[in-house]
Amino acid sequence: MEAIEYVRSVPRYLAVKALYRRLPGIVTSHAAVIRLRDVPEPKLPNDQWVRVHTRLCGICGSDLATVAAKGSPYFSPLLSFPFVLGHEVVGTLAMGTDGLPSGTRVVVEPALHCAVRGISLVCPSCERGDTGTCENITRGSIAPGIQTGYCRDTGGGWSRSFVAHPAQLYAVPDDLTDEEAALIEPFACSLHAVIRTALPTEATILVLGCGTIGLLTIAAIRALGFGNRVLASAKYPHQQEWARTLGATDIVPTGSGLYRAIPDATGALTFQPELGKPVLVGGVDVTFDCVGSSSSIDDAIRLTRSGGSVTLVGMPGIASGVDWTNIWHKELTVRGAYAYGVEKLDERSVKTFDLAMELMRRGAAPLGSLVTTRHRLADYRNAIRGALASGPNGSVKTVFEFPRD
Ligand SMILES: [Zn+2]
Ligand SMILES: [Zn+2]
């Protein structure tokens, strides 16, 4: 079967990293770190695992960072190569398991944690229900890998078929479309970020960046019932419109325009130092950085007031030019929010994926139309280049589709 495979090659990685800005087409060229290839279907690691036929699979920001060699090398020793990408996936079970008959439409929680790896003495993260941050991601019955889509044994959603452990599977209710189902994984990331961040009633919230994950974070804030003022920093008109539709109260610019808009919105005072960006006294109470670039991280900590908090939702890399004085002097709390697991909400414990589906079904999160662009796998060059330019070209979420006759 055809699959988009990531191949570990230091020269290719370095070439893409060095040339991507000047030659963006390199990400799908012969020098790329990915290739469309005919590969064997992955084998079932043991008799617990099942085969899944992909229906739709999204292209995530972390996939794009991987393809464009923009991310940190942090993950590379925690993965196994070559792997087939794709972790935002809705599919159909090709065989039955644990009360889910063959043919069931499923979404896959991609984390390859202790239970998935057949490890019975679970790690402290899994013990707490934080399966997304499992510490056994290099051990057990399958090769290393943080998620389906980053492990050589599981395959991934950028192909017609991959394998999954029953602990990863969720049946998709009939009233959710495939498009909605493909957004459950990224929506769960946003829900997790919002739930893990303290949001006092009066707090003014800033969401930096309105790509898919920023928009889903705005949707998560509203779906969870928070009535706070939400300022959305969105660059492109379609992102601004979506941010408003999903519940942002104010649209603010990106980049340098933030240093006028946030003081206007919050009454913060701005001062110009000898060098660099303005210093704010005051600002927003809580910032969700949904970009993860050096400048967005720097903006997030500059625009957040004393005692406030910053949550990193978008995947960061090795940030440069971030003025830590902001964190120190304003006693900010900066935290990461990665993936999902089990959430404690209103005295109950609920898996983030179940919560995402519940909120979507209640209509609290009308998200399906964020899937703006569909491509066949054979057209992956256009899909990936388009997804890398989703701001200027007016798209939000791009997915690969796998129609079956
Ligand atoms: Zn992702
Ligand atoms: Zn674990």
Side-chain angles (χ1 to χ4, degrees), residues 136-354:
N136 279 325
I137 44 175
T138 59
R139 301 200 179 101
S141 54
I142 51 169
I146 46 172
Q147 295 189 335
T148 299
Y150 291 102
C151 170
R152 79 169 166 245
D153 286 346
T154 59
W158 292 9
S159 70
R160 297 182 79 83
S161 164
F162 62 95
V163 296
H165 187 277
Q168 297 183 280
L169 299 174
Y170 295 76
V172 180
D174 289 342
D175 52 2
L176 292 184
T177 63
D178 278 352
E179 286 77 7
E180 287 170 311
L183 288 167
I184 289 170
E185 195 273 347
F187 187 43
C189 291
S190 290
L191 286 167
H192 180 73
V194 173
I195 292 168
R196 296 291 166 105
T197 304
L199 291 180
T201 320
E202 296 304 317
T204 296
I205 300 170
L206 170 63
V207 175
L208 273 183
C210 284
T212 305
I213 208 70
L215 293 174
L216 291 176
T217 298
I218 297 168
I221 292 167
R222 294 303 181 224
L224 290 166
F226 290 103
N228 299 58
R229 185 176 186 195
V230 176
L231 313 175
S233 165
K235 189 166 182 179
Y236 298 96
H238 72 291
Q239 295 175 340
Q240 295 166 358
E241 206 175 307
W242 265 113
R244 226 178 245 117
T245 303
L246 293 170
T249 41
D250 306 63
I251 305 300
V252 294
T254 55
S256 59
L258 281 165
Y259 291 86
R260 284 188 304 278
I262 298 302
D264 281 354
T266 62
L269 300 175
T270 42
F271 301 91
Q272 189 59 50
E274 299 92 320
L275 194 69
K277 294 180 191 172
V279 170
L280 265 67
V281 174
V284 299
D285 299 285
V286 177
T287 300
F288 291 96
D289 177 15
C290 298
V291 181
S293 68
S294 298
S295 61
S296 72
I297 293 170
D298 191 48
D299 290 338
I301 60 174
R302 284 173 185 271
L303 298 167
T304 306
R305 73 185 318 151
S306 298
S309 74
V310 172
T311 299
L312 303 180
V313 195
M315 185 171 87
I318 301 173
S320 58
V322 174
D323 190 344
W324 283 62
T325 316
N326 288 276
I327 299 173
W328 176 69
H329 180 237
K330 295 189 281 183
E331 298 193 340
L332 300 180
T333 301
V334 179
R335 69 168 303 148
Y338 173 76
Y340 22 67
V342 177
E343 312 295 347
K344 301 219 173 9
L345 194 66
D346 306 333
E347 317 276 298
R348 67 171 177 150
S349 285
V350 58
K351 286 183 162 184
T352 328
F353 266 53
D354 282 326

